[in-house]
Amino acid sequence: QVQLVESGGGLVQPGGSLRLSCAASGSIFRIDDMGWYRQAPGKQREWVASITSGGSTNYAESVKGRFTISRDNRKNTVYLEMNTLKPEDTAVYYCTAAVVIGGTWTSITRWGQGTQVTVSP
């Protein structure tokens, strides 16, 4: 009923920037927290950043000061601006959203299918 689609990934040199987008669509009554995770080869999936419906943000220490999460509630979209990218940032990036689906009473977590970010010279 609800899909999250990421976009904006690609290949970038160290020190470069990328802006990821994630748009939620479907029968959405309300979206609460949204966030980003990433998974690098050979590593477990890790939390990157989160943002509440009111705009409060939190970041993992590894990206603090370099990444910025934001959202557009009218578009049901969350963004991740990534600056000063490092090779260690190479991963598949996934967005997530806590969604109340129209006609239901509870919040569920939905995940996007991921977008590849590669930081390499």
Side-chain angles (χ1 to χ4, degrees):
Q1 292 184 278
V2 175
Q3 291 80 43
L4 273 61
V5 180
E6 301 98 334
S7 62
L11 175 64
V12 65
Q13 294 182 345
S17 300
L18 284 174
R19 185 176 186 246
L20 306 182
S21 300
C22 174
S25 62
S27 183
I28 300 170
F29 176 73
R30 188 181 75 243
I31 302 179
D32 297 320
D33 291 1
M34 304 183 81
W36 291 91
Y37 289 72
R38 67 186 182 185
Q39 187 165 23
K43 298 183 66 177
Q44 293 184 325
R45 185 175 298 184
E46 65 174 340
W47 168 75
V48 174
S50 60
I51 184 168
T52 69
S53 60
S56 296
T57 60
N58 284 288
Y59 300 92
E61 284 295 324
S62 60
V63 307
K64 192 173 297 182
R66 300 188 298 120
F67 291 11
T68 302
I69 188 171
S70 61
R71 64 191 288 170
D72 185 331
N73 291 332
R74 294 196 64 179
K75 296 181 178 180
N76 289 333
T77 299
V78 62
Y79 306 93
L80 187 68
E81 180 73 33
M82 305 184 293
N83 300 311
T84 319
L85 283 162
K86 306 174 181 179
E88 306 94 274
D89 296 318
T90 296
V92 177
Y93 284 72
Y94 301 88
C95 67
T96 185
V99 180
V100 178
I101 298 174
T104 72
W105 297 96
T106 59
S107 177
I108 60 173
T109 299
R110 294 295 194 191
W111 292 79
Q113 292 192 318
T115 185
Q116 176 70 232
V117 172
T118 302
V119 185
S120 175

